Structure formats: C-alpha cells, structure tokens
C-alpha cells in the first residue's frame, strides 16, 4: 500500500512538474511579449473571473471526488454515479446563469471594473465559466476513482490546449493590437477543446451517469468549501481592484501601479508558488485515500500520512524558498528581463512555507468533513489580509501584497492546526519542523546571497546553478542522515 502511494505520488508529481514547466515557460514568453501593463490588465480581469468560476467549479468538484471515493469504498457505485449527474446539473446550471447575466446585462460590468479594457477581457472569458464547470466535474470523477495518472494528464491537456488556442489566435491575427483580449480568447478556445476531450475520455473509461439524486447531500457538503473559495477568490479580486488604487493614492501613476501589480501577480507569484506542484500532487493522492480510510476506519486512520505529508511538504518548500531568496533577482532577470520582479521575488519567497502548509491543512480538514470550520477560518484570515493591505500599501507599496498574504496564511495555519488536532488527535510537532525550516531558509538564503558575491562575474545561469548546488548540498547534509535514521526506526518498529 505504501509503495503504491509513493509510486502514484512520483508519477503525479512528474506530470505536474512537466505541466507547470510548460505553463511557466509559456507565461514567461507572454510576459516578455505583452509587457507588465498588458499582463496587469489581463490579471485584474481574470482574478474577478475566477471568483465567479468558484461558484460552480470549485467546492462541488472537490466534494464530488471525496464522495465518490467514500461511496466506492463502501461498494455503493450507483450512489456515486447519481451524485455525479446531480453535480454536473448544478455546476452547469450555475455557470450558465452567470454567463448569461453578464452577456445580457453588460452594463453590470461597470460595477466591477473602472477600466473598460478589463470589462472587455471579462466579457470574452465569460463562456469559459460553462466549459470550466463541466470539465472540473468530470475531472473530479477521475480523481475520486483514483485514476491519478489520467487526472494529472488532463491537467497537462488543459495547458496544451491553451497553447493550441494561442496558436489559432496568433495565426488568425485576432485582437493583434489588443494582446490582453487575444489571450482571453485563446483561453476560451483551449478550455472548450479540453471540455470536449474529457467528455470523450469519460465515455471511453466506462463512466456512467444515473438519475440525479442526493443533490441536497452534495450541495450541503460543497457549500462551505465553495463559499470559502469564493471568499479567497474575492480577496484576490479585492487585491486586484483595491491594491492599484491604494498605490495610486500613495503617489504612483495608474500605469505604474497596474504594472507593479502585473509583475507581482503574473511574474513573481507563479514562481513563488512553485511548491504548490508538490502539495497538489500530494493532495491528488491523499484526498481519495484518506476519504476511503475514513469511510472504513474512522477519522484518525490517516494520521501518519498527514504528519509525513506536512513534514515532507515543509522541507521541500523550505528548499525552494532558500533558492528564491538567494537567487530571486537573477531568476527574474533571466526569465523576464525584469529586475524589479526579482526584488519582489526575494521578499515574497519568505512567505512560502506558511502559505503551503496552511493550504495543505485546509484541504485535509475539508477531506475530514470540516468544511464549515475552514470557512470560518477564511473569514478571519480575509479580514487580516484587507486590514494589512490598507495599512501597508502606502508606506511599502506593492510589498504590502506579500505581507498581507503572510498575515492571511499565518492566521490560517494557527487556527487550522488547532482544528486538525481536534479532528484527528494528531501530534502537531510538525509545526516545529515548519518553523525551523522557515527560519533556517531565510538565514541560509541570505548567507548564500553573500557567498554569491564571490562569483558575480560569471554567467547569470551559472550563478543560479552554483547557488542551487550549495543549497542542495547543505539540505542533503541535513536530510539524508534524518532519512536514514527514520528508516532504521521504522524497521525496528516492524520487527517488534
């Protein structure tokens, strides 16, 4: 069972890394071609779009995957198939209603955006609400059925079809003078292609749908998660709309403020959130597995997996965090040719460990049926985020964003850890590992930055490689002895 879990994890992680690499390289190209201002316009519109996408394509699919794993473990396959049909009807209905509303009443977008360019991007993206809801529901079926490789390949297909959409727009020269609109239309085409493929694959894998029932069960379980994610997405939209305004109020021009937001949201955060590839792979495997264990053995059955996942994730996150602190400026210059984005990356990297561990704890609590708890926590975190932005936007500018994210995830990590302890009686000693990893990463990152002054004259790529090798050697010196000791203790326990 353990070997199967590890094999699945590495297989999913490999596909996820390839997917993220393709997406990252593609977005580097877009950032270089479009520039920070155009990327900022698209980012503001897409962040609001994602808030509305959360109504249908967020909590329902995640809950569906858990329910399918739960009822399949009990042999109640008709229940799972009926729940799939109910979820599909609910999500497609919600997304269609939202899409029609904004297209039949386009003036309503004036309430959301002051910039007409953002309104146009949102209008173009709106049909994607429907295709995304359908795609997310069927993909949740593959997740709940523990078809991890297929589930991950579908994510890769999503990125691949986006490239196809961009190629079509590029060849046909649509919106050639408005690159933000061109990228929006490419997203629509790619998403529709992917929706068609996933429906075909569902049929090919023998997927079945039964008469829709249990709509109340899936809705009651999904609403707290959906609401939590809507709030998180709303906070992203609030940041996208409010932060540039606060920066302008602090003395920036509107173009400078939009460009800084574009750098942070589309250049810096995609790199800083690289550890999410690991946590995403873990959750793909863990959520169905823990749901099955809970169905058969109770809520404490997955404690060991949860503890190991927390420690593993914190160490991987700390490793990447150290690299970004030590070489963030070089990385941003190499990828984006933007030194300002590099300065932002160095500071933003310091929030990686609490951010990633908090996201992992939220998903685990949802898997254990504590959706209402995570919803309440998100309210407190969001209040802290908004207050932090308002207080710090003027004195520290765009850096108020990572500070606000740090406040958000630190509050969340504390509250979610308390609730995870109550739900599973798991030891929270992993927090010690997280704290030490975070502090050690900051210290080591700046130490390597100082050391790197001795090889500043070499090629930028070589500088990054040298710094990464130094960090890898230090981390390996710490991690390998610990791993050997852990394996030895595990063998002793089995022998006893």
């Amino acid at each position: 069972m353990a070997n199967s879990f590890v094999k699945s994890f590495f297989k999913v992680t490999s596909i996820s890394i390839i997917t993220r690499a393709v997406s990252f390289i593609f977005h580097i190209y877009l950032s270089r071609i479009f520039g920070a201002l155009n990327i900022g316009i698209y980012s503001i519109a897409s962040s609001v779009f994602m808030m509305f996408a959360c109504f249908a394509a967020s909590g329902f699919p995640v809950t569906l995957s858990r329910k399918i794993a739960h009822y399949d473990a009990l042999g109640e396959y008709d229940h799972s198939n009926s729940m799939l049909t109910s979820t599909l009807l609910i999500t497609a209905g919600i997304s269609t209603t939202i899409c029609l509303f904004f297209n039949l009443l386009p003036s309503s977008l004036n309430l959301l955006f002051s910039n007409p360019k953002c309104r146009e991007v949102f209008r173009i993206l709106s049909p994607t609400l429907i295709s995304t809801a359908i795609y997310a529901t069927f993909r949740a079926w593959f997740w709940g059925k523990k078809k991890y490789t297929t589930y991950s390949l579908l994510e890769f297909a999503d990125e691949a079809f986006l490239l196809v959409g961009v190629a079509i727009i590029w060849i046909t020269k649509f919106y050639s003078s408005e690159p933000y609109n061109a990228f929006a239309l490419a997203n629509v085409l790619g998403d529709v292609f992917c929706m068609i493929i996933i429906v075909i694959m569902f049929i090919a894998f023998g997927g079945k749908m039964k008469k829709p029932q249990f709509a109340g069960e899936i809705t009651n379980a999904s609403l707290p998660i959906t609401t939590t994610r809507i709030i998180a997405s709303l906070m992203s939209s609030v940041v996208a709309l409010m932060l540039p305004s606060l920066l302008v109020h602090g003395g920036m021009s509107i173009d400078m403020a939009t460009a800084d937001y574009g750098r942070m949201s589309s250049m810096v955060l995609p790199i800083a959130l690289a550890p999410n590839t690991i946590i995403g792979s873990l959750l793909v495997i863990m959520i169905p597995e823990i749901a099955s264990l809970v169905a058969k053995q109770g809520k404490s059955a997955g404690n060991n997996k949860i503890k190991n996942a927390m420690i593993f994730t914190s160490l991987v996150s700390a490793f990447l965090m150290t690299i970004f602190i030590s070489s963030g400026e070089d990385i941003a210059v190499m990828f984006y040719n933007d030194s300002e984005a590099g300065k932002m990356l160095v500071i933003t990297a310091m929030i990686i460990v609490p951010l990633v561990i908090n996201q992992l704890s939220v998903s685990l609590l949802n898997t254990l049926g504590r959706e209402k708890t995570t919803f309440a926590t998100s309210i407190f975190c969001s209040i802290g985020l908004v207050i932090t932005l308002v207080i710090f936007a003027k004195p520290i500018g765009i850096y108020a964003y990572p500070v606000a994210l740090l406040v958000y995830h630190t509050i969340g990590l504390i509250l979610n850890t308390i609730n995870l302890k109550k739900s599973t009686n798991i030891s929270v000693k992993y927090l010690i590992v997280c704290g030490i990893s975070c502090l050690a990463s900051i210290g080591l990152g700046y130490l390597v930055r100082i050391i790197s002054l001795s090889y500043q004259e070499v090629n930028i790529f070589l500088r990054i490689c040298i710094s990464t090798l130094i960090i890898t050697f230090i981390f390996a010196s710490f991690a390998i002895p610990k791993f050997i000791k852990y394996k030895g203790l595990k063998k002793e326990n089995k022998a006893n």
Side-chain angles (χ1 to χ4, degrees):
M1 184 71 175
N3 288 336
S4 175
F5 183 91
V6 172
K7 286 179 181 177
S8 297
F9 168 70
F10 280 108
K11 191 181 293 184
V12 170
T13 301
S14 300
I15 297 171
S16 295
I17 289 173
I18 294 170
T19 302
R20 295 289 185 275
V22 170
S23 175
F24 183 58
I25 293 169
F26 177 57
H27 281 85
I28 290 172
Y29 172 77
L30 290 177
S31 298
R32 283 178 172 268
I33 297 299
F34 289 0
L37 179 58
N38 285 317
I39 288 292
I41 292 169
Y42 179 81
S43 297
I44 290 170
S46 62
S47 66
V48 177
F49 168 83
M50 289 307 299
M51 178 185 70
F52 287 101
C54 282
F55 279 94
S58 184
F60 282 95
V62 172
T63 305
L64 176 64
S65 67
R66 177 167 63 85
K67 291 289 186 180
I68 287 174
H70 179 92
Y71 287 112
D72 281 4
L74 300 176
E76 300 178 20
Y77 301 105
D78 285 347
H79 196 136
S80 298
N81 295 333
S82 179
M83 195 164 282
L84 168 66
T85 309
S86 298
T87 304
L88 185 62
L89 291 174
I90 292 168
T91 55
I94 293 172
S95 55
T96 301
T97 301
I98 297 172
C99 180
L100 288 174
F101 175 81
F102 285 115
N103 280 277
L104 294 176
L105 298 170
S107 60
S108 59
L109 291 174
N110 296 340
L111 300 173
L112 296 174
F113 305 103
S114 58
N115 190 330
K117 294 176 181 178
C118 294
R119 293 198 290 268
E120 182 64 12
V121 170
F122 184 92
R123 188 190 63 79
I124 294 170
L125 284 172
S126 61
T128 313
L129 289 166
I130 303 170
S131 55
T132 298
I134 295 171
Y135 166 84
T137 301
F138 280 113
R139 189 166 179 245
W141 179 84
F142 285 97
W143 188 5
K145 293 291 184 181
K146 302 183 183 180
K147 299 182 185 298
Y148 304 126
T149 303
T150 305
Y151 177 86
S152 300
L153 286 172
L154 286 168
E155 184 182 18
F156 177 78
D158 199 18
E159 289 295 334
F161 279 115
L162 173 58
L163 294 177
V164 172
V166 169
I168 292 172
I169 299 303
W170 182 270
I171 292 169
T172 57
K173 302 297 182 183
F174 268 88
Y175 295 116
S176 57
S177 62
E178 300 168 326
Y180 39 84
N181 286 341
F183 191 39
L185 185 56
N187 268 275
V188 175
L189 292 175
D191 215 61
V192 170
F193 291 152
C194 209
M195 178 195 70
I196 294 170
I197 291 298
I198 200 170
V199 172
I200 293 172
M201 289 186 67
F202 172 77
I203 296 170
F205 273 80
K208 295 180 181 179
M209 299 177 70
K210 293 288 184 180
K211 180 180 177 182
Q213 298 181 51
F214 315 111
E217 179 183 351
I218 191 72
T219 300
N220 290 335
S222 300
L223 277 179
I225 300 178
T226 300
T227 308
T228 300
R229 296 195 175 191
I230 288 171
I231 291 172
S233 189
L234 177 62
M235 286 302 100
S236 178
S237 301
V238 166
V239 171
L241 298 172
M242 184 175 76
L243 185 54
S245 297
L246 290 171
L247 295 177
V248 170
H249 182 70
M252 278 190 179
S253 69
I254 183 64
D255 283 352
M256 286 180 62
T258 303
D260 265 4
Y261 176 76
R263 286 189 183 92
M264 181 62 76
S265 63
S266 296
M267 297 182 185
V268 175
L269 288 179
I271 299 177
L273 297 180
N276 279 352
T277 300
I278 304 298
I279 184 177
S281 301
L282 269 175
L283 292 175
V284 166
I285 311 297
M286 287 186 68
I287 287 179
E289 295 291 340
I290 291 176
S292 298
L293 285 171
V294 169
K296 294 177 180 179
Q297 303 174 33
K299 290 188 176 180
S300 298
N303 282 5
N304 196 46
K305 283 183 177 172
I306 292 173
K307 181 189 73 175
N308 291 338
M310 289 288 192
I311 294 174
F312 174 75
T313 304
S314 66
L315 291 175
V316 172
S317 301
F319 174 71
L320 293 174
M321 174 176 161
T322 308
I323 293 174
F324 297 150
I325 291 173
S326 66
S327 305
E329 291 180 50
D330 286 340
I331 291 170
V333 170
M334 184 177 69
F335 286 143
Y336 303 120
N337 194 28
D338 194 317
S339 58
E340 285 301 314
K343 294 173 184 176
M344 294 178 189
L345 177 59
V346 172
I347 301 300
T348 305
M350 297 183 195
I351 72 170
I352 288 176
V353 172
L355 183 152
V356 171
I357 299 302
N358 179 48
Q359 290 180 333
L360 180 57
S361 67
V362 169
S363 296
L364 291 171
L365 282 168
N366 288 338
T367 303
L368 295 167
R370 297 294 301 274
E371 299 93 345
K372 293 180 181 178
T373 300
T374 56
F375 165 67
T377 299
S378 70
I379 298 292
F380 288 107
C381 296
S382 299
I383 293 171
L385 182 144
V386 172
I387 292 173
T388 304
L389 276 181
V390 172
I391 293 174
F392 289 100
K394 188 172 182 178
I396 63 175
I398 193 64
Y399 294 99
Y401 195 0
V403 172
L405 288 175
L406 178 62
V407 170
Y408 180 98
H409 289 288
T410 301
I411 294 172
L413 181 57
I414 293 170
L415 296 178
N416 288 325
T417 297
I418 293 170
N419 290 316
L420 199 58
K421 170 72 174 175
K422 291 179 180 177
S423 298
T424 64
N425 201 30
I426 187 175
S427 170
V428 294
K429 289 182 179 179
Y430 64 81
L431 278 183
I432 298 174
V433 177
C434 297
I436 293 173
S437 300
C438 189
L439 294 174
S441 292
I442 295 173
L444 179 58
Y446 276 97
L447 175 63
V448 175
R449 278 175 69 87
I450 295 170
I451 294 172
S452 69
L453 295 174
S454 62
Y455 48 86
Q456 279 297 303
E457 300 304 318
V458 303
N459 174 274
I460 189 169
F461 177 73
L462 190 58
R463 282 205 305 271
I464 297 170
C465 289
I466 293 172
S467 296
T468 301
L469 284 173
I470 293 172
I471 293 165
T472 302
F473 176 77
I474 295 172
F475 265 79
S477 300
F478 166 78
I480 291 175
K482 293 289 182 183
F483 178 74
I484 293 171
K485 182 180 179 181
Y486 170 76
K487 294 296 286 185
L489 290 172
K490 198 171 179 182
K491 285 180 181 179
E492 287 179 17
N493 291 334
K494 283 186 177 179
N496 295 331

